[in-house]
Amino acid sequence: MVTASATDYVGYEYHEIAVNEKFVDFYSDNYPNFGWKITAKEQSTKTAGSKIILKLKRDRYISNKAELTRLQRKFESQINQLEGLERNKELPATIIAITIGLIGTIFMGLSVWAYNDGLLLSLLVSIPGFIGWILPYFCYQNLKKKYSHQLAPQENRLYDDIYETCQKAHKLSSY
């Protein structure tokens, strides 16, 4: 007859999070510091964009649970700030590139409309149109690089804060 003692039983709590595909490895490396074990990674079909669902579990009666939960919320807040910085690198560059492209399109439209008044006028108006169609790519690349350099110190400080939070959680979860 096999008997199980009360110490053999482990009750788990479960958690699912939708993670930006870019940060999956970062979450996978750091969530175990809060006592979680990753049980599955699945491609999300419910959310827009490239999201991965991480399925997690941890011991329901883990020691220091309240403090680990607080640190986990702080970690998630810091990750949200990091994702916001990533968006801030791309958004202004995207807006400027789209604006230049639209202006180029307006000039091309004017070029077609000006064709009735003469071929020379049409060609002159189409030159800024072509420039407005070619320039956005280079503007986007340069502006994104510029914003990346501007935000790099802030991003590095945020990564340091995240690692500090994870170190504190790791010390608590290993007791």
Side-chain angles (χ1 to χ4, degrees):
M1 177 177 193
V2 178
T3 59
S5 67
T7 58
D8 293 331
Y9 175 76
V10 177
Y12 291 103
E13 61 181 317
Y14 298 91
H15 186 55
E16 285 185 8
I17 53 172
V19 177
N20 187 332
E21 195 169 20
K22 185 175 184 176
F23 291 102
V24 169
D25 291 334
F26 194 70
Y27 274 94
S28 298
D29 291 343
N30 289 301
Y31 253 88
N33 294 317
F34 303 100
W36 293 102
K37 293 177 184 153
I38 298 171
T39 58
K41 295 179 185 179
E42 300 173 356
Q43 186 71 37
S44 175
T45 57
K46 297 177 184 175
T47 59
S50 54
K51 294 279 188 178
I52 303 292
I53 303 293
L54 293 180
K55 294 186 177 190
L56 311 163
K57 74 175 185 177
R58 76 173 169 191
D59 185 351
R60 190 171 189 75
Y61 301 106
I62 191 170
S63 59
N64 301 314
K65 184 177 178 179
E67 182 64 14
L68 284 172
T69 302
R70 185 190 71 75
L71 288 171
Q72 179 182 332
R73 287 190 187 121
K74 182 177 179 182
F75 169 77
E76 290 168 350
S77 171
Q78 291 166 331
I79 291 291
N80 287 335
Q81 290 174 18
L82 192 60
E83 289 176 343
L85 284 177
E86 287 293 320
R87 282 189 301 274
N88 286 341
K89 289 178 189 177
E90 295 179 7
L91 186 63
T94 301
I95 290 171
I96 291 170
I98 288 173
T99 303
I100 292 170
L102 287 174
I103 291 169
T105 303
I106 290 169
F107 273 100
M108 289 305 274
L110 289 172
S111 169
V112 171
W113 187 59
Y115 181 72
N116 292 334
D117 293 334
L119 181 62
L120 183 60
L121 180 61
S122 178
L123 289 174
L124 289 175
V125 175
S126 69
I127 292 171
F130 282 119
I131 291 171
W133 282 355
I134 296 169
L135 197 60
Y137 173 77
F138 299 106
C139 285
Y140 175 81
Q141 294 299 326
N142 289 333
L143 289 172
K144 185 178 176 189
K145 188 183 298 184
K146 175 186 168 191
Y147 290 121
S148 294
H149 288 301
Q150 285 178 351
L151 295 174
Q154 189 177 355
E155 190 175 29
N156 287 335
R157 279 193 304 274
L158 193 51
Y159 271 115
D160 290 342
D161 291 345
I162 289 170
Y163 291 136
E164 183 180 316
T165 301
C166 290
Q167 281 180 330
K168 289 178 185 177
H170 181 74
K171 287 178 185 176
L172 288 173
S173 68
S174 38
Y175 284 119

